[in-house]
Amino acid sequence: MLKEETLSTPHDCTECPIRHRAVCARCESDELEVLEEIKYYRSFQAGQTVIWSGDKMDFVGSVVTGIATLTQTMEDGRTQMVGLLLPSDFVGRPGRDGSAYDVVATTDLVMCCFRKKPFETMMERTPHVAQRLLEMTLDELDAAREWMLVLGRKTAREKIASLLSIIARRDATLNLRTPQGALVFDLPLTREAMADYLGLTLETVSRQISALKRDGVIVLEGKRHITVPDFNRLLDEAGDDSDGGMFA
Amino acid sequence: MLKEETLSTPHDCTECPIRHRAVCARCESDELEVLEEIKYYRSFQAGQTVIWSGDKMDFVGSVVTGIATLTQTMEDGRTQMVGLLLPSDFVGRPGRDGSAYDVVATTDLVMCCFRKKPFETMMERTPHVAQRLLEMTLDELDAAREWMLVLGRKTAREKIASLLSIIARRDATLNLRTPQGALVFDLPLTREAMADYLGLTLETVSRQISALKRDGVIVLEGKRHITVPDFNRLLDEAGDDSDGGMFA
DNA sequence: GGCCTACTTTGACCCAGATCAAGCGCGCGG
DNA sequence: CCGCGCGCTTGATCTGGGTCAAAGTAGGCC
């Protein structure tokens, strides 16, 4: 869900139950009735667990507002975040019964849900929905595998830069640009959540953010508000290939 | 592709172009003609690169014999293996143009391929194929995310144990069992490949394998042949929950 | 305003795993 | 049969990031 390709697929129809054209009740009018019938909303408070790993999951849906994380936890408490759900991201596993990981709301969260069975029935009748979901899942798989490189081979500094560039890129359309072309955004995560995402400790996250600030790669106002004066510099710090001008 | 659910989905029809019922030319006779028409085989030598990251990929297919790896590489040479392809595993990205990572044959390899366009056309006409592929992709996504926990939070010893248990479990049906119930299998990877999979150096891999051997968790004959006297002990070393008796 | 709590930063020290550097052993070609 | 090379093991040392500890900061609530 962090890949470039997905950026274009959510659309801005605020009435859409799932903010993707392929499964949008408004934009695919032939599916409207079925979807409306099985649609409902759920909201969660910051910190609440939406689904526990292993629990039976009888719905699919998407984030409307707020942020949730997918995390895996070992018995001794070590946790690894394996995904980040931002508004318009799809949640669910058509054809699978239980959740494979905890889904935790990190801010107050509103989700739009569909009961799973009827949704699957609808899927069988409308092949392009399954195809769209397949493409979305392939994008998530790419994102997960890209993250494996970050976790396995990058240094702490590169990990931080990778995370910042992904967050900045993720909702590039929403981000402000200063007249000088700098990117401005708010970190949606605490230091601890960043650490869980990056396989680091929160102390190391804090130190590396301070270092990037000291070196002028980023400008920090408060703890969350970030300005990136030169996005290609950030990509360079992340060890990624420069993106060939998209943010030049 | 390393998840338990996938174990049951390949079937043993040796004539099958793709060893999954959902896309099997023999077992789904209505698709036979189309598939036969667009089917061809390719073979590769050990060490050969099947597809380079970013290359246009005009086919989908599956491994018939041999082993391939999915790897990502940084400019400075650091590499991370992001997937392991064993016989019957699916390769390809329906609806996506290029490959996202290098696919490298680690042994001599035979693949069964279908040209992508006609395969996609077939997919549009037969919805259950898209659904089956969606489920397979969800399994791979689970496996990738499970691996993120390994890469981000486990110690070197736990990483090795995790890899061994996954390889042992992966083709549990093929593995030998001694009268005492021990699992026996051959490592399909060099120490270096294991290191690239685990985000370690090959020296650390070697040391930890020696340690597991010294502690009696595994028995090594030669460099590749492994006996696991007590699978639950191995799972314990991996930091995983015991599997509730499947291998008890 | 002032305290409280949750989050963050910074410092000092330590250790798991990386790095550098020999050797080992086995299969293969001559 | 020997020697060469590649994959593997083992040892010595170094270091990035973890751990433990303390102090700084900011919002929320009385």
Side-chain angles (χ1 to χ4, degrees):
Chain A
M1 83 225 94
L2 300 167
K3 260 293 194 186
E4 203 166 301
E5 288 96 331
T6 56
L7 290 179
S8 59
T9 57
H11 60 144
D12 57 1
C13 163
T14 52
E15 298 301 311
C16 277
I18 294 183
R19 300 273 185 88
H20 283 86
R21 195 171 305 277
V23 283
C24 168
R26 277 179 78 86
C27 307
E28 304 284 340
S29 51
D30 53 326
E31 292 148 29
L32 180 60
E33 287 158 70
V34 180
L35 286 171
E36 285 300 329
E37 217 165 85
I38 62 175
K39 184 171 86 169
Y40 58 100
Y41 289 89
R42 299 179 66 186
S43 49
F44 301 87
Q45 294 179 338
Q48 231 183 321
T49 297
V50 177
I51 315 150
W52 293 96
S53 165
D55 273 12
K56 194 158 172 297
M57 206 174 135
D58 55 0
F59 66 95
V60 299
S62 70
V63 177
V64 177
T65 60
I67 292 167
T69 61
L70 308 179
T71 64
Q72 290 196 293
T73 310
M74 295 172 66
E75 299 96 280
D76 62 7
R78 283 178 279 177
T79 75
Q80 176 65 51
M81 196 186 299
V82 297
L84 195 58
L85 296 171
L86 303 185
S88 91
D89 276 332
F90 184 80
V91 185
R93 304 152 54 72
R96 289 281 172 270
D97 264 346
S99 174
Y101 4 79
D102 300 336
V103 180
V104 183
T106 56
T107 63
D108 288 349
L109 184 75
V110 177
M111 286 198 42
C112 169
C113 305
F114 303 95
R115 276 176 289 115
K116 192 152 138 286
K117 263 276 145 44
F119 185 87
E120 281 170 357
T121 311
M122 189 269 290
M123 240 174 69
E124 277 162 35
R125 278 203 303 274
T126 50
H128 77 270
V129 172
Q131 283 172 50
R132 189 72 260 283
L133 283 173
L134 175 57
E135 287 177 24
M136 286 166 62
T137 307
L138 283 168
D139 286 341
E140 292 203 45
L141 185 56
D142 285 347
R145 285 174 164 168
E146 197 176 307
W147 207 245
M148 285 169 67
L149 176 64
V150 173
L151 291 172
R153 292 301 187 192
K154 291 197 178 179
T155 64
R157 175 184 261 242
E158 288 170 335
K159 284 179 174 182
I160 298 288
S162 297
L163 180 57
L164 294 180
S165 70
I166 276 174
I167 292 173
R169 199 202 304 250
R170 156 75 210 209
D171 41 15
T173 49
L174 307 175
N175 291 151
L176 301 172
R177 304 289 292 263
T178 65
Q180 294 77 34
L183 279 169
V184 179
F185 60 94
D186 283 315
L187 271 180
L189 302 169
T190 64
R191 299 288 183 267
E192 187 182 18
M194 294 175 70
D196 283 342
Y197 206 19
L198 295 165
L200 298 169
T201 59
L202 67 89
E203 293 95 327
T204 300
V205 169
S206 181
R207 269 187 255 274
Q208 295 301 334
I209 288 179
S210 298
L212 288 173
K213 181 179 158 190
R214 174 170 34 75
D215 298 344
V217 181
I218 59 173
V219 178
L220 255 183
E221 286 159 57
K223 288 163 182 179
R224 299 294 189 87
H225 195 70
I226 290 193
T227 304
V228 179
D230 179 355
F231 192 75
N232 282 322
R233 171 83 194 278
L234 185 65
L235 287 179
D236 199 51
E237 291 286 349
D240 294 340
D241 298 346
S242 176
D243 74 357
M246 181 184 169
F247 285 88
Chain B
M1 83 226 95
L2 301 167
K3 261 292 196 192
E4 203 165 303
E5 289 95 330
T6 55
L7 290 179
S8 59
T9 56
H11 60 144
D12 57 3
C13 163
T14 52
E15 297 300 312
C16 277
I18 295 185
R19 299 273 186 87
H20 283 86
R21 196 170 304 279
V23 283
C24 168
R26 276 180 79 87
C27 306
E28 304 285 342
S29 51
D30 53 326
E31 292 150 29
L32 180 61
E33 288 158 68
V34 179
L35 285 171
E36 286 299 330
E37 215 165 87
I38 61 174
K39 182 171 86 170
Y40 59 100
Y41 289 89
R42 299 180 65 185
S43 48
F44 301 88
Q45 294 179 338
Q48 230 184 323
T49 297
V50 177
I51 315 150
W52 293 96
S53 165
D55 273 11
K56 196 160 170 296
M57 207 172 133
D58 54 0
F59 67 94
V60 300
S62 70
V63 175
V64 177
T65 60
I67 292 167
T69 62
L70 307 179
T71 63
Q72 289 197 294
T73 310
M74 295 173 66
E75 300 97 279
D76 62 8
R78 282 178 281 178
T79 75
Q80 176 65 50
M81 197 185 300
V82 297
L84 194 58
L85 295 171
L86 303 184
S88 90
D89 276 332
F90 184 80
V91 184
R93 305 151 54 72
R96 290 280 172 271
D97 265 343
S99 173
Y101 5 78
D102 300 336
V103 179
V104 183
T106 56
T107 64
D108 288 349
L109 184 75
V110 176
M111 288 197 45
C112 168
C113 305
F114 302 97
R115 275 176 291 114
K116 192 152 137 283
K117 263 278 146 45
F119 185 89
E120 281 170 357
T121 310
M122 189 269 290
M123 240 175 71
E124 278 163 34
R125 279 204 301 275
T126 50
H128 76 270
V129 172
Q131 284 171 52
R132 188 73 260 283
L133 284 173
L134 175 57
E135 287 176 24
M136 287 166 61
T137 307
L138 282 168
D139 286 341
E140 291 204 45
L141 185 56
D142 284 348
R145 284 173 167 168
E146 198 176 306
W147 207 244
M148 285 169 67
L149 176 65
V150 173
L151 291 173
R153 292 302 187 192
K154 291 197 177 177
T155 65
R157 176 184 260 245
E158 289 170 335
K159 284 179 175 182
I160 299 288
S162 298
L163 180 57
L164 294 181
S165 70
I166 276 175
I167 291 173
R169 200 201 304 250
R170 155 75 208 211
D171 42 14
T173 51
L174 307 175
N175 291 152
L176 301 172
R177 305 287 293 261
T178 65
Q180 293 77 35
L183 280 170
V184 179
F185 60 93
D186 283 315
L187 272 180
L189 300 170
T190 64
R191 300 288 183 266
E192 187 182 18
M194 294 175 71
D196 283 342
Y197 206 19
L198 296 165
L200 299 170
T201 59
L202 67 91
E203 292 96 329
T204 300
V205 170
S206 180
R207 269 187 255 272
Q208 296 301 332
I209 287 178
S210 299
L212 289 173
K213 181 180 159 189
R214 172 169 36 74
D215 298 345
V217 181
I218 59 173
V219 179
L220 254 184
E221 285 160 56
K223 287 160 182 180
R224 299 294 190 87
H225 194 72
I226 292 194
T227 303
V228 180
D230 179 355
F231 192 75
N232 282 322
R233 171 84 193 281
L234 185 66
L235 287 180
D236 200 52
E237 290 285 351
D240 293 342
D241 299 347
S242 178
D243 73 359
M246 180 183 169
F247 286 89

